Amino acid sequence: MRQHEDYGQKLLATIAKGHFTNDREFTRVEYPGGTMAFIDGVIKPDCAIEIESRVDKQVRGALLDLLSHPYTKKLLILIPAHMNNPDKTKEQCEGILQKFKRPTDKVMVVLLKGTGDNLKPKEDEQLLRAALSKYGIPDTF
């Protein structure tokens, strides 16, 4: 499953140049009791990113980490590798994010066309550039 996340991270690195990072210093999420989790990446200075390709139940768990990250822009990138119905997963995630986001948060879900096994970089780069532009993140840095 790592190849799917790697695919998403490579797309973001290409688009956001040096502004995308998966460095633990920026991706850490702290929970009560001293527990920590890490999201998949951020585009500095304010966009938290989670990349998911797994089944719905696992994707829903990742939403908690994304919502708990301190950055105000939240982007969930879905890679349709292991989902029974990727469109339904996207709809479900949009509803959950809207329901549980903080008033100051902006949330968005992008369903890619390609996967780590079936690359579609041109199509997926366009989807991600469009999403990031809605957050005011330029498509060229």
Side-chain angles (χ1 to χ4, degrees), residues 47-93:
C47 183
I49 300 168
E50 191 67 81
I51 303 167
E52 285 300 325
S53 65
R54 301 174 291 174
V55 299
D56 288 2
K57 185 173 185 174
Q58 293 168 308
V59 173
R60 288 191 302 267
L63 292 179
L64 181 61
D65 293 341
L66 183 61
L67 286 165
S68 298
H69 192 276
Y71 283 9
T72 57
K73 297 173 184 171
K74 319 280 187 190
L75 177 61
L76 175 65
I77 299 171
L78 296 176
I79 298 178
H82 301 287
M83 298 163 197
N84 290 326
N85 184 334
D87 291 317
K88 199 157 196 88
T89 300
K90 180 179 187 266
E91 182 180 336
Q92 181 183 105
C93 290

Side-chain angles (χ1 to χ4, degrees), residues 5 10 15 17 26-27 33 49 70 75 78 80 104 106 127:
E5 182 182 323
K10 285 177 189 173
I15 294 167
K17 312 260 185 292
F26 297 100
T27 61
I49 300 168
L75 177 61
L78 296 176
T104 55
K106 295 179 182 176
L127 290 169

Side-chain angles (χ1 to χ4, degrees), residues 12-21 42-44 141:
L12 288 166
T14 298
I15 294 167
K17 312 260 185 292
H19 297 271
F20 172 77
T21 184
V42 300
I43 295 178
K44 297 180 272 183
F141 285 88

